[in-house]
Amino acid sequence: MTVSELDKQIKPNMRGAYLFYGEEEYLKLRYREKMRAVLLEDESLAPFNHSIITDITRLAGEVEILPMMADRRLVEVEDVNFAKLNKDTLEALVSLLEKPEDTVVLFFTREGEFSAGTAKKPSELFKKLSAVVNIVEFSKQAPNRLATWAAKHFASHGTFAEGDVCHALIERCGTDMNVLANEIAKLAAYALSLGETKIRRDMIPIVVTAYRESGAFDFVNAIMDGNTSYAFALFTDMKRRREKPVEIAAAISRVISELRLVKTYADAGLSLAEMMAATKMKEYSIKLRLNALRGRTAAELDRAVELCYETDLK
């Protein structure tokens, strides 16, 4: 099911089960909010007609509960790794989802929790669930569609921007809609503070932070370089993208441990070739770490390794 098709189905009398997956967190969250607003219109009754669960074994009991003074209940299921469901659990889930009449079930997944395969070769999981679940992919949006969306978003802030300005914003910020929404709000506030409603292209470099989608490589380099402020900015971005804490901690532990190891060999007088043989690291990687070690003491690195160890245990 496409997002457009989902949009047409979100009504007070909607029924069935839906599964949201894909990279675009902004749209997933907005459509979840839209479903809540439509199905839980009476806020006084919302606590009786809305449940959020993280244990899929509780779903059968939730589906049996009748809505109170409303047509539908909404049950949201979060943090379920479908790839790890055993065969019996999956079959029971499919059987359960064939029955609900008065309950709308929303499976809200994050990256890595659901694999649909491809259009030509869908996964077995997709094939089984699609028989009873409306599966909606929220993929990254193309620049042209984002530009149209950005123009509407500017309008919602009481401003307007022409197409070339919207494209210039996307070029500077990237395609993440959460980032774009924040920068649009900043630009609109700036323009209105000047008594203007039109967003000009020359406002962008004044207000908007240049953004490049970051990854583990950038994070590791920031830690290695001792660039604390940038490391925390990347850490905040990774949390926003809901990257797993264990993986973030592992990236930190690895780079700290490698720095301590290289320092040990360097202090022992090993040559670059000997360090490469001992660590199995490339020449370029060792040189980067040697450069990052300038001004760092063994005691400082030992303390960092100890903190990584304590965090890993926790």
Side-chain angles (χ1 to χ4, degrees):
M1 175 181 286
T2 66
V3 176
S4 297
E5 290 171 334
L6 170 67
D7 211 16
K8 295 175 183 176
Q9 289 196 15
I10 299 180
K11 299 175 181 178
N13 64 346
M14 69 187 297
R15 65 177 64 225
Y18 295 80
L19 188 151
F20 290 1
Y21 81 100
E23 296 177 294
E24 188 47 76
E25 292 293 327
Y26 180 91
L27 286 179
K28 278 195 286 187
L29 289 168
R30 291 301 173 271
Y31 274 90
R32 178 167 74 171
E33 290 169 3
K34 189 171 183 177
M35 285 180 68
R36 287 176 177 176
V38 168
L39 293 169
L40 308 169
E41 187 176 8
D42 190 332
E43 293 184 5
S44 65
L45 296 174
F48 304 100
N49 294 318
H50 183 211
S51 298
I52 301 176
I53 61 175
T54 56
D55 182 356
I56 203 166
T57 62
R58 289 183 51 198
L59 182 58
E62 292 290 340
V63 167
E64 294 298 322
I65 301 173
L66 295 174
M68 179 176 288
M69 299 177 66
D71 293 328
R72 299 285 184 269
R73 286 190 81 243
L74 173 62
V75 179
E76 298 181 40
V77 187
E78 293 185 335
D79 298 328
V80 174
N81 192 333
F82 284 88
K84 293 185 178 180
L85 294 184
N86 60 46
K87 183 179 178 181
D88 291 342
T89 302
L90 183 59
E91 288 181 355
L93 178 62
V94 171
S95 177
L96 174 67
L97 295 175
E98 290 175 341
K99 303 174 183 177
E101 290 291 329
D102 303 316
T103 301
V104 175
V105 180
L106 170 60
F107 296 99
F108 191 89
T109 72
R110 298 181 174 87
E111 193 171 352
E113 292 180 345
F114 178 80
S115 175
T118 64
K120 290 185 178 180
K121 193 175 180 181
S123 67
E124 288 301 315
L125 182 60
F126 180 91
K127 291 177 184 177
K128 288 181 179 179
L129 286 178
S130 61
V132 291
V133 178
N134 297 293
I135 301 177
V136 190
E137 180 181 10
F138 292 84
S139 56
K140 290 290 185 184
Q141 301 296 293
N144 285 340
R145 293 191 67 177
L146 281 176
T148 301
W149 168 82
K152 292 178 180 178
H153 217 61
F154 275 119
S156 71
H157 288 284
T159 59
F160 73 95
E162 295 177 348
D164 65 321
V165 173
C166 293
H167 278 286
L169 175 63
I170 293 165
E171 185 176 341
R172 186 171 176 84
C173 292
T175 58
D176 188 293
M177 293 178 76
N178 274 312
V179 173
L180 285 169
N182 290 334
E183 298 302 333
I184 286 170
K186 285 163 59 178
L187 271 171
Y190 177 72
L192 292 172
S193 73
L194 299 176
E196 301 180 32
T197 56
K198 181 178 181 179
I199 305 298
R200 302 191 312 271
R201 191 171 185 139
D202 62 358
M203 292 177 177
I204 293 176
I206 297 172
V207 177
V208 175
T209 304
Y211 180 87
R212 178 171 64 86
E213 300 224 350
S214 56
F217 183 78
D218 304 280
F219 185 53
V220 166
N221 279 348
I223 295 169
M224 196 161 55
D225 294 339
N227 191 339
T228 307
S229 59
Y230 186 44
F232 271 109
L234 294 174
F235 176 66
T236 300
D237 180 53
M238 286 190 286
K239 286 204 300 181
R240 177 183 56 76
R241 290 188 275 119
R242 291 184 169 86
E243 293 196 14
K244 296 179 180 178
V246 170
E247 294 178 1
I248 296 173
I252 297 171
S253 297
R254 179 176 179 177
V255 69
I256 295 297
S257 298
E258 287 176 348
L259 285 170
R260 185 63 184 95
L261 185 62
V262 170
K263 182 167 181 60
T264 299
Y265 288 138
D267 289 348
L270 270 66
S271 67
L272 183 60
E274 288 171 328
M275 281 191 272
M276 288 171 60
T279 63
K280 309 301 181 185
M281 293 166 62
K282 302 292 185 183
E283 179 180 350
Y284 174 74
S285 296
I286 292 178
K287 285 183 176 179
L288 279 178
R289 282 150 184 76
L290 285 170
N291 187 58
L293 285 168
R294 292 174 183 172
R296 293 191 180 184
T297 65
E300 177 188 346
L301 290 170
D302 286 341
R303 177 56 179 155
V305 170
E306 183 182 351
L307 289 170
C308 288
Y309 174 70
E310 291 172 1
T311 302
D312 192 44
L313 287 178
K314 290 176 182 178

